[in-house]
Structures are given as structure tokens and as C-alpha cells.
Amino acid sequence: MPRPELLSPAQREALMAPPSDLNECIRYYTLSANDLHLINQHRGIHNQLGFAVQLCYLRFPGRALAVEEVPPPEIVGFVAAQLNLPPSAWSEYAKRDQTRREHLQELQRHSGLRLLTVADYRSVAAWVTALANANLERHRFSLKTEMALDSARVRAGW
């Protein structure tokens, strides 16, 4: 018997979507001096921009760019402006799929991130289920979830 899904496809898509407005871009995608140092170690403006966008996606929504995924132009533009690069440099990024994968591996090593395991999934699912079963009002549930995610970002150095 298949297990029931916690999220509908629409809810899952909304959860994994990148920011949609300038305030969210500012909140999640403002680059620090450390970020800029790491980004500037890469040769070529297209690699710097691509690496920076991948860094931002790992922060929020907390996932890697999918193969051949093109981020929204607003995000590319926001990140490019911080790097003083033309947003058009994105079109040259990762023409070799290996470049994108190597950048992702570097970012994972740098940030201490790793792939989600089945044990991780079960732990989070048990935690979320326990919160839901405790009949917490929606605001407290959202606040506790956001606090847990913020704590994970702090542990990862973000």
C-alpha cells in the first residue's frame, strides 16, 4: 500500500520554488564578503555567476539547480548586479555539465552540506508528524519550522 504524501504536488512545487520578489532576493541572496571571495576564485564571468547562483539556490530554497534549469531572470540579475557582471553571462554557464556538478560538489564541501539520507527523511517526517499531532496552531507550527530551518542554515555557516 503506498504511503500518503505529506504535500500535494502544488505544495511541493511552492516549497521548492526560488524567491519571487525583490524582498526575498535581498533576504536570501545578498552575498557576503566571504561569498564574494569564494566566487572570485573561479575563472570567467560565466563561471562566477553560475557558481554564485548555485550558492544562492543551496541557501534558498535549499536545493541544487536541476540539470538544464534556468533560474528566473530576476534572480540572475540580482546576483549579477552584486558581482558587477552582465546577467547575459548566465547563458554561457555550464555548457559542460561537469562544470555544474563540480561547482555543486565544491559548494557542498565548503558549506558542510550532504545529500539527504533515508534516515534524515524519516527523522524530519517523525518530527513534523509529532508537531501536527500535537495540534499546534498553524502560526506556532510555521514559526517552529522556520526556526529549525534557520538553525540548520546557521550550522551550515549561512
Side-chain angles (χ1 to χ4, degrees), residues 26-36 38-39 51-65 103-114 146-158:
I26 291 169
R27 177 178 179 188
Y28 296 114
Y29 292 168
T30 299
L31 301 170
S32 70
N34 288 337
D35 296 336
L36 294 172
L38 184 63
I39 292 162
F51 185 87
V53 170
Q54 284 219 59
L55 168 70
C56 291
Y57 260 63
L58 284 175
R59 285 191 184 149
F60 186 84
R63 65 174 178 84
L65 280 166
H103 285 175
L104 182 56
Q105 289 171 347
E106 180 182 347
L107 285 164
Q108 287 175 317
R109 282 190 309 274
H110 176 76
S111 62
L113 295 174
R114 60 179 173 74
E146 185 169 330
M147 288 170 52
L149 291 172
D150 286 343
S151 174
R153 286 186 185 109
V154 168
R155 286 195 307 273
W158 293 335

Side-chain angles (χ1 to χ4, degrees), residues 106-133:
E106 180 182 347
L107 285 164
Q108 287 175 317
R109 282 190 309 274
H110 176 76
S111 62
L113 295 174
R114 60 179 173 74
L115 293 176
L116 185 74
T117 65
V118 172
D120 295 329
Y121 175 83
R122 288 182 178 147
S123 175
V124 170
W127 177 74
V128 169
T129 301
L131 281 177
N133 288 339

Side-chain angles (χ1 to χ4, degrees), residues 25 46-47 49 62 69 75 93 99 118 122 130 135 138 146 156:
C25 282
H46 57 285
N47 283 327
L49 181 56
E69 179 179 1
I75 291 173
Y93 178 62
T99 301
V118 172
R122 288 182 178 147
N135 292 320
R138 186 174 187 189
E146 185 169 330

